[in-house]
Amino acid sequence: MPVEGGSSSGSASAARHPKQKRKAHSLSIRRTNSTEERPPGVQRGDMLEGQDSKLPLALRNNLLDLFGQIEREFENLYIENLELRREIESLNERLTGDGQTVDGGDPTKGALKTKASHSTSQLSQKLKTTYKASTSKIVSSFKATTGSRALCQLLKEYMGHRDGIWDLSVTRTQPVVLGTASADHSALLWSIETGKCLLRYAGHAGSVNSIKFHPTEQMALTASGDQTAHIWRYMVQLPAPQPPPDVSVSICGLLSTYCQVLRSGVQNKPLRRLVLRQAPCEDDQDSSDREEGEVDGEGPCEVPTVRVATATLKSHQGVVIAADWLVGGRQVVTASWDRAANLYEVETSELVHTLTGHDQELTHCCTHPTQRLVVTSSRDTTFRLWDFRDPSIHSVNVFQGHTDTVTSAVFTVGDNVVSGSDDRTVKVWDLKNMRSPIATIRTDSAVNRISVSANQRIIALPHDNRQVRLFDMSGVRLARLPRSNRMGHRRMVCCTAWNEENQSCNLFTCGFDRQAIGWNINIPALLQEK
């Protein structure tokens, strides 16, 4: 989690060990291709280098791990089968010792046959179930990877921060830009189309943990580890769209330069680099020619910088972890590690209410898009709903649906609240009846700051295990954002945000790998796949 005045590393996931049902007398059985007998430092993929295969190494390792799980299951069943045979032999010996013959017309023969037949039937059924479950797991992994690439396309990468990015948001007014809040004490504004950094805010003295934009004006609200929240104005101008290059002129120039190279007989690398850089397609540039650490676009030091806030909100005694605008933009709410949430007037920076009641540090706060409602989440495994619709009565409701830290709770356009937790679950609640969730999504990793699309009501889940998954409000899984060596985050994903202003639907994700990524989500195909 964000720390005061600095950054923090992502949490390491706990290792899991498969349970194996083996008895003492069966421990002598060893597999020739087991992990214990593999030479140290040799991976599964390295042992198969000599084999002719066009699959990537990572995919081959994944397949081998899955087949290894199947092998272990069959090995356990084989051992159980041996034990069953020993039991049958011991029963036969007892019957022989009592003077009864198994092959004769003894009445116990039918019972033995029935027991053996029943055991064999159970063994066969267990083998079928194990094989079906293992193969289904392999097939589902292929389906998720190939299908997600068709439904979720990488739009742009936004790189320029010097530390992990905790939060991101999209402006609600024109021009539409992307804002990111980072542990490097800064917030950056980006052009969504070009990926160019437009403005840098450097007014905080600690980690910037949250960023939200005013609903109607060009103002931003940031929360920081320096125990303050800042309201600051910005003015950005989107870069003009570049005209398409004249391909004929570019090709003529390229051919002319290339002819000069042939005539001179010189084939050194600088002249070759000059020829390649004149090509109209950027993909033709040799990646080896780039300087190490070179990043496309302008860095944060080359853009306009805002250092003075319009208003500074100072009432918390701990890290301000999140902040948001109430409907109308006249008031803001902040959530802090001092176990309280504060409500401020924007014009006067005056503290209006202090919302207390949580037993541990707050992790997030969110406001309703059309009503004066606030929801706060905490490490005490609860989230609270604060109602400010009646000026004379400020009611609060406490909801206990999780077993671990509630990392975020957000409103939807309808009458729903969606909460995510470190207990690896996401729950959908109805504001009219919040005694129990109407849907529960179970995952395999802790869930960070979630977001829900306004039009299609699709939930985007960022995970500690670097995955981003999409679900509908009923808990049905729709897709998983593709992640490979060239796509996706390399460390935990901290937050997601939707942009549905245009006809196309974009999803933005940020992580502790210092980058934000924009994705183009094909909503019609996604819903059709459902």
Side-chain angles (χ1 to χ4, degrees):
M1 294 185 69
V3 295
E4 183 174 359
S7 64
S8 65
S9 62
S11 60
S13 58
R16 302 170 186 169
H17 301 280
K19 299 181 180 179
Q20 298 184 359
K21 301 179 180 179
R22 299 186 182 179
K23 295 187 178 181
H25 63 271
S26 64
L27 293 178
S28 60
I29 299 177
R30 297 289 182 181
R31 290 173 297 157
T32 57
N33 59 343
S34 61
T35 307
E36 291 82 5
E37 298 184 8
R38 190 184 308 156
V42 179
Q43 302 295 327
R44 287 180 178 268
D46 298 337
M47 299 176 65
L48 300 176
E49 281 187 357
Q51 299 185 9
D52 185 15
S53 176
K54 297 182 180 180
L55 293 177
L57 181 59
L59 181 58
R60 297 181 68 191
N61 290 335
N62 186 21
L63 285 173
L64 290 174
D65 290 337
L66 293 176
F67 284 125
Q69 296 176 16
I70 299 175
E71 181 184 2
R72 286 192 293 271
E73 291 293 335
F74 275 105
E75 182 180 9
N76 293 334
L77 294 177
Y78 176 74
I79 294 174
E80 292 179 4
N81 190 16
L82 292 179
E83 294 173 355
L84 183 60
R85 290 183 180 179
R86 293 192 188 99
E87 291 179 3
I88 295 175
E89 292 176 358
S90 63
L91 288 175
N92 287 334
E93 292 175 359
R94 288 182 184 179
L95 294 175
T96 304
D98 294 339
Q100 299 175 356
T101 59
V102 180
D103 297 332
D106 190 78
T108 56
K109 177 181 178 183
L112 278 176
K113 282 188 176 181
T114 304
K115 183 176 180 181
S117 175
H118 180 67
S119 302
T120 307
S121 164
Q122 287 183 338
L123 178 62
S124 176
Q125 185 64 28
K126 193 169 184 180
L127 284 170
K128 290 180 180 179
T129 305
T130 305
Y131 177 76
K132 184 177 180 181
S134 303
T135 52
S136 298
K137 185 176 181 181
I138 298 174
V139 173
S140 62
S141 64
F142 280 119
K143 183 178 180 181
T145 304
T146 56
S148 298
R149 289 182 178 176
L151 301 174
C152 312
Q153 298 290 336
L154 190 143
L155 178 67
K156 186 66 67 173
E157 293 179 339
Y158 308 90
M159 294 180 289
H161 281 290
R162 296 183 298 275
D163 210 331
I165 304 176
W166 291 119
D167 195 24
L168 79 170
S169 180
V170 180
T171 58
R172 310 182 198 180
T173 59
Q174 295 293 335
V176 179
V177 298
L178 174 69
T180 54
S182 171
D184 63 5
H185 302 189
S186 71
L188 300 181
L189 303 186
W190 307 82
S191 168
I192 294 178
E193 289 77 13
T194 64
K196 178 182 179 182
C197 184
L198 305 176
L199 185 140
R200 177 174 181 258
Y201 179 73
H204 284 290
S207 169
V208 185
N209 303 322
S210 173
I211 182 170
K212 289 292 184 294
F213 293 101
H214 193 277
T216 58
E217 300 182 28
Q218 292 188 357
M219 290 194 299
L221 170 66
T222 50
S224 173
D226 59 12
Q227 303 184 3
T228 67
H230 290 183
I231 299 175
W232 45 279
R233 292 186 175 273
Y234 63 90
M235 292 185 63
V236 294
Q237 184 176 1
L238 296 179
Q242 298 293 332
D246 191 344
V247 180
S248 61
V249 176
S250 301
I251 293 177
C252 291
L254 178 61
L255 292 176
S256 175
T257 309
Y258 187 66
C259 291
Q260 294 178 6
V261 174
L262 294 178
R263 292 172 183 173
S264 61
V266 180
Q267 298 182 1
N268 56 1
K269 190 172 182 179
L271 198 55
R272 172 175 170 269
R273 183 187 305 176
L274 174 63
V275 175
L276 290 174
R277 286 185 177 177
Q278 290 183 7
C281 180
E282 295 181 356
D283 295 338
D284 292 338
Q285 181 179 351
D286 190 355
S287 59
S288 63
D289 292 336
R290 293 191 178 186
E291 299 294 335
E292 183 178 358
E294 181 181 348
V295 179
D296 294 336
E298 295 183 82
C301 298
E302 302 174 356
V303 299
T305 302
V306 177
R307 302 183 183 275
V308 180
T310 304
T312 302
L313 310 178
K314 304 177 181 178
S315 295
H316 286 290
Q317 303 302 317
V319 170
V320 184
I321 195 66
D324 202 358
W325 304 84
L326 265 72
V327 57
R330 297 180 181 178
Q331 293 178 328
V332 298
V333 61
T334 58
S336 172
W337 282 4
D338 61 8
R339 305 182 182 183
N342 290 341
L343 189 67
Y344 296 91
E345 288 286 346
V346 173
E347 292 185 0
T348 61
S349 302
E350 179 183 356
L351 177 63
V352 180
H353 294 290
T354 298
L355 313 179
T356 59
H358 283 289
D359 296 332
Q360 295 187 33
E361 295 90 342
L362 273 66
T363 57
H364 192 244
C365 66
C366 181
T367 60
H368 196 278
T370 59
Q371 304 181 56
R372 290 176 57 81
L373 297 173
V374 177
V375 63
T376 57
S377 58
S378 170
R379 292 184 60 190
D380 61 9
T381 73
T382 69
F383 67 94
R384 294 178 177 239
L385 177 65
W386 312 82
D387 191 347
F388 296 98
R389 290 176 291 187
D390 190 343
S392 59
I393 303 176
H394 302 138
S395 63
V396 57
N397 295 316
V398 184
F399 303 99
Q400 301 175 345
H402 293 280
T403 60
D404 206 338
T405 298
V406 183
T407 54
S408 63
V410 298
F411 290 101
T412 67
V413 175
D415 294 330
N416 295 112
V417 175
V418 183
S419 59
S421 171
D422 280 342
D423 63 6
R424 304 179 182 180
T425 65
V426 174
K427 297 180 182 292
V428 182
W429 310 78
D430 189 354
L431 283 175
K432 298 177 181 178
N433 183 15
M434 297 190 65
R435 294 182 180 180
S436 60
I438 60 177
T440 299
I441 302 170
R442 304 189 183 278
T443 66
D444 58 354
S445 178
V447 182
N448 296 314
R449 291 185 179 178
I450 60 180
S451 63
V452 182
S453 64
N455 297 336
Q456 303 295 336
R457 292 159 59 87
I458 297 176
I459 310 171
L461 309 184
H463 291 283
D464 277 357
N465 63 358
R466 302 175 289 170
Q467 301 285 354
V468 179
R469 294 181 172 91
L470 305 181
F471 289 82
D472 65 5
M473 296 294 291
S474 61
V476 177
R477 176 175 170 178
L478 300 178
R480 183 187 70 187
L481 267 61
R483 186 178 64 82
S484 63
N485 295 333
R486 297 184 179 181
M487 298 176 65
H489 291 280
R490 296 181 297 275
R491 300 183 67 180
M492 73 172 183
V493 188
C494 301
C495 181
T496 60
W498 292 89
N499 177 33
E500 299 175 285
E501 296 295 331
N502 301 324
Q503 293 181 355
S504 61
C505 182
N506 296 332
L507 175 65
F508 298 94
T509 61
C510 66
F512 218 61
D513 54 0
R514 306 183 184 184
Q515 70 171 341
I517 302 178
W519 305 86
N520 185 22
I521 310 298
N522 190 342
I523 296 294
L526 195 69
L527 298 179
Q528 184 178 4
E529 225 13 70
K530 168 188 172 183

